[in-house]
């Protein structure tokens, strides 16, 4: 998942997912509220230098190199490493992915069909809530976002 995927998602995908550390840093920079909510459920992984070189080469050939940020490059490289599908609305990422035979799908609007339903659980008294409160309205303990079972 790249940053654009994060920004347009209302829920984490149910499938296994991973993103490079740079994406997390971008979310931190924009103080995106999703990070606080999903932080401990997002899988973060570094890409290999080998894949990064391949991406660079492909992007150079296609003319996308100047339009891809260093973080975008690691998204592509990581997808190559894990043989995954990229979730991104970034045209240059999609273009290089296509060239390299990496699967991709747009995220904005109807891109993602399966979404996780969220509930919030108090870590103190264990009560479930549909909305997120700064603290449990019943006992005042911190709340935790959980996947609906
Ligand atoms: Zn409680």
């Amino acid at each position: 998942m790249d940053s654009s995927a994060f920004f347009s998602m209302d829920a984490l995908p149910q499938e296994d997912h991973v993103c490079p550390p740079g994406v997390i840093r971008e979310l931190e920079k924009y103080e995106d509220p999703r990070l606080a909510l999903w932080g401990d459920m997002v899988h973060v992984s570094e890409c290999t230098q080998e894949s990064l070189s391949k991406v660079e080469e492909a992007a150079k050939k296609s003319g996308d190199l100047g339009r891809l940020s260093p973080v975008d490059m690691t998204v592509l490289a990581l997808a190559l490493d894990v043989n995954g599908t990229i979730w991104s609305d970034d045209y240059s990422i999609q273009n290089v992915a296509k060239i390299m035979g990496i699967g991709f799908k747009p995220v904005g609007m109807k891109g993602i069909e399966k979404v996780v339903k969220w509930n919030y659980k108090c870590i103190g008294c264990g009560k479930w809530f549909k909305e997120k409160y700064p603290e449990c309205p019943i006992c005042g303990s911190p709340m935790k976002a959980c996947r609906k079972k």
Side-chain angles (χ1 to χ4, degrees), residues 52-68 73 76 92 95-96 99-100:
L52 202 56
S53 307
K54 285 182 192 163
V55 169
E56 212 175 294
E57 206 176 303
K60 211 179 280 175
K61 275 185 201 160
S62 73
D64 286 297
L65 194 59
R67 285 195 294 268
L68 289 170
M73 307 274 289
L76 282 153
S92 289
N95 195 44
V96 174
I99 290 163
M100 301 186 75

Side-chain angles (χ1 to χ4, degrees), residues 1-72:
M1 299 194 294
D2 81 340
S3 308
S4 74
F6 260 104
F7 286 132
S8 48
M9 274 187 210
D10 293 324
L12 275 179
Q14 254 166 346
E15 291 97 315
D16 271 348
H17 59 271
V18 66
C19 58
V23 167
I24 301 297
R25 281 197 293 271
E26 283 183 348
L27 292 174
E28 281 169 352
K29 197 169 78 188
Y30 294 109
E31 293 178 357
D32 192 88
R34 296 173 189 87
L35 197 60
L37 197 59
W38 301 344
D40 54 348
M41 274 169 287
V42 174
H43 304 153
V44 182
S45 184
E46 295 272 4
C47 63
T48 61
Q49 197 56 46
E50 194 192 344
S51 295
L52 202 56
S53 307
K54 285 182 192 163
V55 169
E56 212 175 294
E57 206 176 303
K60 211 179 280 175
K61 275 185 201 160
S62 73
D64 286 297
L65 194 59
R67 285 195 294 268
L68 289 170
S69 73
V71 175
D72 294 340

Side-chain angles (χ1 to χ4, degrees), residues 121-129 135-143:
K121 190 184 188 185
C122 167
I123 64 169
C125 66
K127 282 262 183 211
W128 288 88
F129 300 91
E135 52 190 30
C136 173
I138 293 165
C139 72
S141 299
M143 310 279 293

